Amino acid sequence: MKGIYSDQTSFYLFPEEPDLGDLVTVRLRIPKYLGKSVGNVIFAPEKNAKRYQHKSMTLYKESEYYYYFESNFNMPDRILRYHFEINLLDKNKSIIYDAMGVLQNRSIVDFTLIAGFKTPEWAHGTVYYQIFVDRFYNADKTNDPVNNEYHYDGQVVVKKDWGTLPHPKNGHREFYGGDLKGVLEKLDYLENLGVETIYFNPIFVSPSPHKYDTQDYEHIDPHFGVIVEDTEDLTKKYKVRTTSQVNLNKSDELFQKLVEDCHKRNIKVVIDGVFNHCGSFHKWIDEMNLYGNGALYNESSPYRRFFYWNSKNEYEGWWGYRTLPKLNYGNINLWKYIANISKKWVSEPFSVDGWRLDVADDLGKSFETNTSFWRFFYKVTKKANPDSIIFSEIYKSPLPWLERQCWDSIMNYITCMDPISYFLTGMEKHNDYLKPELLKNSDYFVNAVKWGLSQLPMNSKFIALNQLSNHDHSRWMTRTTQKVGRLGPNTHEEAIEGRDLDVFKMGLVMMFTLPGSPGLYYGDEIGLPGWTDPDNRRPYPWGRETEEGLEILQFTRELIKVYKNSTSLRRGSFDFIDWQKGYLAYASWNKEESIVTIVNREEKVVEVEIPLWLLDKKKGEIEILFSTKEVDIKNKYYNEGRKNLKIPEKTAVIIKVN
């Protein structure tokens, strides 16, 4: 039953971010082909969540194909949930419409309104570029880790040549020497690519290249920053480099300059916060006795209460990893310390623009602890920098956390990475298994995306980070091979053999046209391959890009330009308008423009009739803004709300409807 529509963009909901007590107006679109109809909004405040109130809607306006109804109410509580009931008077039938669409064979999924929940305007649809610093660009050889500089996790660390590739078993002890000066020197490149926000993997002091095992939250790692004080004595070298106050201050100053230079180019900076655990080198544990008062060797240490201990005097490791001591959020002093760390980095002189929170739903030992702490963290951070963003890594519905205002949004696995990967390749995001039944399964894709979007209030939808690759999962290019495996049993070369460039490009188009903020992981723009960690962290091959890689780079630049020139892709209404098997058509629109994205994953040409009447368009012309292959539209005109097109095999095309 196509055509019924509502969402939480400014036409269908205003104000979009209401405060308690505000008069809220909601609208509903009902197609005229359904006959004489009446709409009702059904809503429930948080305090009476099971007692829905009904309120009739009045006709706001009508158009060629639709009636638009509206109603209003005062925001009665901190959280309000609502859906719609449509009475088809000519058919003596009623229809329920909720956040996933027309209700059929499932329970109701309400729209959610959260009083006072404001999100940063700059973050709505911003173009991200994720940088894993050690593997991006080495501009300062003096701060490189050296062979045998220290032992980590039972073995010595290794400095590798830039042109070599990660070892399957030694990724957390291998360094390539990438640094923040390298990012500074590549800002022209990033600006030319179209990047609007840099998201850094962790950059605080840490013994690993990935730095998810924090040693010191208060300073930038001198191996990424500046090393002034040093020694040739390998028994002291690491301690001198990472604890020298001169090195730490100089490194912090370099990061401050980097943020300032980014801001001059109107590029935002988001950093990674790893707060569910620290690292075993951290001064609170101090496995290497770098600081002298750690809890591992001193039972009277004030930091002992920051961890969980068993009867053998062993601390609990996150997921059993000894290098990752689990933090105990039963301690209010830890709460204050971590929140003040956030405040420090979003405030002057550093002024970063926000945080990505690592595995944030895994922080405490209970949901109550998690949400209580993150609410505290959120309030401290927003008070220090109201325009900062906080988004979380989570692999399930974030709605319970968002309703409590713990975060602004999420890494959008549930709406972007997972559904796209399955629809285009059938591959799980680590390349760990293939699900052939999900390949070219548009029904599954549509339902998965609708559910994912239903779990995000509208202001969270626009700032959710859409990615196809990142530091935790296989590279998108490697998933297009449709091979199951990881580095070790498989070789580096197998990560690219059999890759499907058409599918790769289709995935990028989908990532940029689904609701959210599109995010490239460094090297995605040249089609860098890689199995999951550690192979997904290959050094960027500056000056050694393949001809194909440079062609993908130009493709990506052009795609970003199209995206940035579109107001509806960045922030607009969204709905699926047609789909069958391996073919999809979905639309993004607002008052200024209407965009249709068509995806044909089939291995053959498909002939389709695009129902443009679903965009309230009767006649006019279409314009191809971008396509992965040449599409012959015969003529640009359409009539009676429909347009027939032939879409080549394995093609994605973005069309503007005028």
Side-chain angles (χ1 to χ4, degrees):
M1 192 168 290
K2 293 183 177 179
I4 302 171
Y5 191 77
S6 185
D7 64 18
Q8 294 179 318
T9 56
S10 58
F11 180 79
Y12 293 96
L13 168 72
F14 57 91
E16 290 178 280
E17 297 180 326
D19 290 314
L20 201 64
D22 280 355
L23 182 67
V24 176
T25 299
V26 292
R27 289 182 181 147
L28 173 68
R29 187 185 76 181
I30 303 175
K32 290 182 174 179
Y33 77 81
L34 291 176
K36 192 174 181 181
S37 308
V38 176
N40 300 280
V41 61
I42 304 173
F43 59 95
E46 182 182 30
K47 289 180 181 177
N48 293 293
K50 295 183 180 180
R51 297 188 64 181
Y52 284 105
Q53 301 175 41
H54 293 235
K55 191 165 185 183
S56 61
M57 307 182 79
T58 58
L59 184 65
Y60 164 68
K61 73 169 188 174
E62 63 177 290
S63 65
E64 182 71 34
Y65 294 107
Y66 297 101
Y67 297 113
Y68 293 86
F69 291 86
E70 72 173 19
S71 186
N72 52 55
F73 47 79
N74 290 96
M75 189 69 184
D77 208 341
R78 194 181 65 82
I79 296 174
L80 182 136
R81 299 177 177 88
Y82 67 96
H83 60 272
F84 300 95
E85 181 183 69
I86 303 164
N87 295 320
L88 305 179
L89 302 181
D90 293 340
K91 300 178 182 179
N92 194 27
K93 178 182 178 183
S94 64
I95 297 169
I96 299 296
Y97 182 89
D98 63 11
M100 285 187 66
V102 175
L103 185 66
Q104 290 180 316
N105 302 317
R106 59 174 174 81
S107 56
I108 291 172
V109 181
D110 280 314
F111 292 98
T112 302
L113 273 183
I114 306 167
F117 182 36
K118 317 288 184 184
T119 57
E121 281 291 326
W122 67 262
H124 292 182
T126 188
V127 179
Y128 279 94
Y129 189 89
Q130 180 184 346
I131 295 179
F132 192 94
V133 177
D134 183 64
R135 311 295 161 85
F136 184 62
Y137 184 55
N138 186 355
D140 182 358
K141 302 295 192 293
T142 66
N143 62 13
D144 290 2
V146 301
N147 287 325
N148 304 312
E149 183 174 326
Y150 56 99
H151 282 72
Y152 183 58
D153 196 20
Q155 295 183 37
V156 294
V157 297
V158 177
K159 170 63 170 57
K160 298 192 71 168
D161 293 334
W162 199 263
T164 60
L165 295 174
H167 186 277
K169 301 294 185 184
N170 207 34
H172 61 307
R173 286 181 291 258
E174 295 181 328
F175 292 84
Y176 287 82
D179 45 48
L180 295 181
K181 186 179 179 184
V183 179
L184 265 168
E185 292 190 8
K186 294 298 182 181
L187 286 182
D188 283 346
Y189 168 83
L190 296 176
E191 189 174 27
N192 182 253
L193 182 60
V195 171
E196 296 175 316
T197 301
I198 295 173
Y199 151 42
F200 283 107
N201 285 110
I203 53 177
F204 302 135
V205 183
S206 154
S208 71
H210 58 72
K211 306 212 174 301
Y212 283 94
D213 42 6
T214 313
Q215 178 178 324
D216 183 351
Y217 291 108
E218 298 181 30
H219 296 287
I220 304 300
D221 195 315
H223 292 98
F224 283 176
V226 179
I227 294 178
V228 177
E229 293 188 353
D230 206 353
T231 177
E232 294 306 309
D233 184 348
L234 286 179
T235 64
K236 300 177 181 178
K237 194 174 188 68
Y238 182 77
K239 180 175 182 177
V240 170
R241 286 180 152 197
T242 62
T243 65
S244 158
Q245 201 60 49
V246 173
N247 293 346
L248 295 172
N249 290 341
K250 289 290 185 182
S251 298
D252 294 348
E253 289 169 9
L254 177 64
F255 179 63
Q256 180 184 337
K257 173 177 170 43
L258 173 57
V259 176
E260 289 172 353
D261 283 13
C262 286
H263 286 171
K264 288 175 185 176
R265 298 169 184 258
N266 203 28
I267 295 174
K268 303 290 187 180
V269 176
V270 172
I271 57 177
D272 211 325
V274 189
F275 301 130
N276 52 61
H277 57 75
C278 62
S280 58
F281 282 28
H282 196 283
K283 60 185 175 183
W284 298 337
I285 284 288
D286 205 12
E287 177 187 25
M288 300 303 291
N289 208 20
L290 300 170
Y291 300 94
N293 195 27
L296 184 61
Y297 304 119
N298 180 3
E299 291 192 27
S300 63
S301 168
Y303 307 122
R304 191 168 179 85
R305 290 172 294 170
F306 286 4
F307 303 96
Y308 299 95
W309 301 85
N310 64 20
S311 58
K312 298 179 181 179
N313 200 30
E314 298 168 331
Y315 57 79
E316 180 181 331
W318 182 73
W319 282 37
Y321 291 104
R322 180 174 170 77
T323 57
L324 305 176
K326 176 74 176 166
L327 291 170
N328 180 1
Y329 280 86
N331 189 313
I332 193 63
N333 290 326
L334 179 63
W335 283 39
K336 292 177 180 178
Y337 179 88
I338 296 298
N340 282 330
I341 287 296
S342 176
K343 178 181 177 180
K344 170 181 177 173
W345 293 103
V346 301
S347 302
E348 294 182 347
F350 303 106
S351 301
V352 301
D353 301 288
W355 292 91
R356 176 266 188 187
L357 302 174
D358 185 58
V359 203
D361 62 321
D362 200 23
L363 184 93
K365 299 258 181 167
S366 70
F367 176 73
E368 290 72 23
T369 298
N370 283 351
T371 54
S372 296
F373 170 75
W374 287 127
R375 285 182 66 188
F376 177 69
F377 179 96
Y378 178 96
K379 289 176 181 178
V380 170
T381 304
K382 294 290 186 174
K383 184 177 180 181
N385 183 348
D387 214 27
S388 61
I389 187 177
I390 301 170
F391 65 91
S392 162
E393 178 188 25
I394 185 171
Y395 291 83
K396 56 191 176 188
S397 170
L399 193 54
W401 284 266
L402 297 175
E403 288 179 342
R404 288 161 178 79
Q405 294 188 46
C406 299
W407 321 313
D408 291 307
S409 196
I410 60 168
M411 299 183 76
N412 207 6
Y413 296 117
I414 59 175
T415 305
C416 182
M417 186 184 288
D418 286 340
I420 291 177
S421 188
Y422 284 130
F423 178 70
L424 293 181
T425 71
M427 291 302 304
E428 181 269 343
K429 56 184 171 284
H430 290 281
N431 276 74
D432 278 349
Y433 51 84
L434 176 71
K435 287 192 170 184
E437 70 277 12
L438 301 186
L439 174 64
K440 296 187 277 190
N441 186 336
S442 59
D443 285 333
Y444 176 85
F445 179 85
V446 170
N447 287 330
V449 171
K450 283 185 174 182
W451 177 80
L453 293 176
S454 77
Q455 302 305 297
L456 293 164
M458 185 59 77
N459 46 7
S460 289
K461 283 183 179 70
F462 296 128
I463 58 179
L465 175 57
N466 288 353
Q467 292 183 301
L468 290 174
S469 309
N470 62 29
H471 63 287
D472 279 329
H473 305 97
S474 59
R475 291 274 185 172
W476 171 233
M477 182 62 87
T478 292
R479 252 172 282 144
T480 73
T481 67
Q482 296 182 282
K483 295 177 190 170
V484 173
R486 294 194 176 207
L487 184 62
N490 299 70
T491 64
H492 294 291
E493 293 74 21
E494 288 176 290
I496 190 69
E497 290 173 356
R499 94 284 177 265
D500 193 321
L501 190 56
D502 291 335
V503 169
F504 177 86
K505 290 179 176 179
M506 292 167 71
L508 287 189
V509 170
M510 294 176 76
M511 183 182 78
F512 273 89
T513 53
L514 288 176
S517 294
L520 297 168
Y521 179 44
Y522 81 98
D524 280 352
E525 72 272 28
I526 58 168
L528 199 65
W531 303 104
T532 200
D533 174 28
D535 198 35
N536 52 18
R537 304 168 183 179
R538 300 183 185 195
Y540 192 105
W542 298 107
R544 297 183 293 108
E545 298 93 339
T546 64
E547 186 175 332
E548 179 178 279
L550 294 175
E551 187 267 323
I552 295 172
L553 177 61
Q554 186 58 32
F555 171 92
T556 307
R557 282 199 188 109
E558 293 302 316
L559 178 57
I560 292 174
K561 285 180 185 176
V562 169
Y563 174 81
K564 290 171 72 172
N565 286 330
S566 167
T567 57
S568 66
L569 289 178
R570 196 186 286 269
R571 184 186 173 96
S573 293
F574 173 89
D575 201 12
F576 292 97
I577 60 175
D578 199 21
W579 65 93
Q580 186 178 11
K581 297 182 180 178
Y583 150 73
L584 288 165
Y586 51 86
S588 306
W589 72 94
N590 57 21
K591 292 178 181 178
E592 290 82 39
E593 68 178 12
S594 297
I595 301 290
V596 173
T597 301
I598 303 170
V599 179
N600 177 19
R601 178 58 180 87
E602 300 287 358
E603 308 280 342
K604 62 183 180 181
V605 175
V606 297
E607 296 186 30
V608 296
E609 183 182 79
I610 308 298
L612 299 178
W613 66 270
L614 288 169
L615 294 168
D616 215 355
K617 304 286 188 181
K618 184 173 183 180
K619 62 180 180 179
E621 58 186 54
I622 65 171
E623 173 190 358
I624 293 182
L625 298 181
F626 191 84
S627 184
T628 60
K629 290 182 182 177
E630 186 173 345
V631 177
D632 183 5
I633 61 174
K634 301 298 182 185
N635 69 74
K636 61 185 178 180
Y637 300 103
Y638 65 91
N639 206 351
E640 298 303 324
R642 301 179 185 279
K643 178 63 178 175
N644 292 306
L645 292 173
K646 287 185 178 180
I647 309 299
E649 70 281 358
K650 293 196 291 188
T651 299
V653 56
I654 304 172
I655 293 173
K656 187 174 183 180
V657 184
N658 301 310

